[in-house]
Amino acid sequence: MGLGSTAKKIQKVADIAEDLYKKVNELKTQLEDLRSTVDETNTRVDGMEQELAEQRALIEALAEERGVDTESVVAEVAADTDSDTAEAVSE
């Protein structure tokens, strides 16, 4: 084996290593973007959960003021949802 073929092999390995380095950097950038997106989404979800809790408290207070049993309403909705799900599965 001559020096020419060894040099070609070394160059090929160097080219492959350079391509892999670029791909690793691209993946690193994509991962950082993904982490940022996940953090933003988590913040939004936390805010939505807080708003939902506030809305639920207001609705329950209004319902109580008007004499509506919120637990029975929730149970009825859950039962309807369960029956709708069962129907969808059986179709």
Side-chain angles (χ1 to χ4, degrees):
M1 201 184 282
L3 290 178
S5 66
T6 302
K8 286 181 185 179
K9 288 180 182 179
I10 290 173
Q11 184 60 46
K12 184 176 179 180
V13 169
D15 291 343
I16 292 171
E18 186 175 335
D19 289 343
L20 287 174
Y21 181 77
K22 287 179 186 177
K23 288 180 183 180
V24 166
N25 280 336
E26 288 173 11
L27 288 173
K28 181 180 175 186
T29 301
Q30 290 175 358
L31 181 60
E32 289 170 353
D33 291 345
L34 180 62
R35 283 183 179 154
S36 176
T37 301
V38 168
D39 288 344
E40 289 172 11
T41 302
N42 191 35
T43 300
R44 287 185 192 148
V45 168
D46 289 345
M48 291 172 71
E49 287 176 342
Q50 179 63 33
E51 287 179 24
L52 182 60
E54 292 168 1
Q55 290 174 3
R56 182 180 183 107
L58 289 171
I59 290 170
E60 286 178 351
L62 289 171
E64 183 178 330
E65 185 178 287
R66 289 177 173 75
V68 175
D69 182 9
T70 55
E71 289 181 17
S72 66
V73 172
V74 170
E76 184 179 324
V77 169
D80 289 345
T81 302
D82 289 344
S83 67
D84 290 345
T85 302
E87 284 180 25
V89 170
S90 66
E91 291 176 354

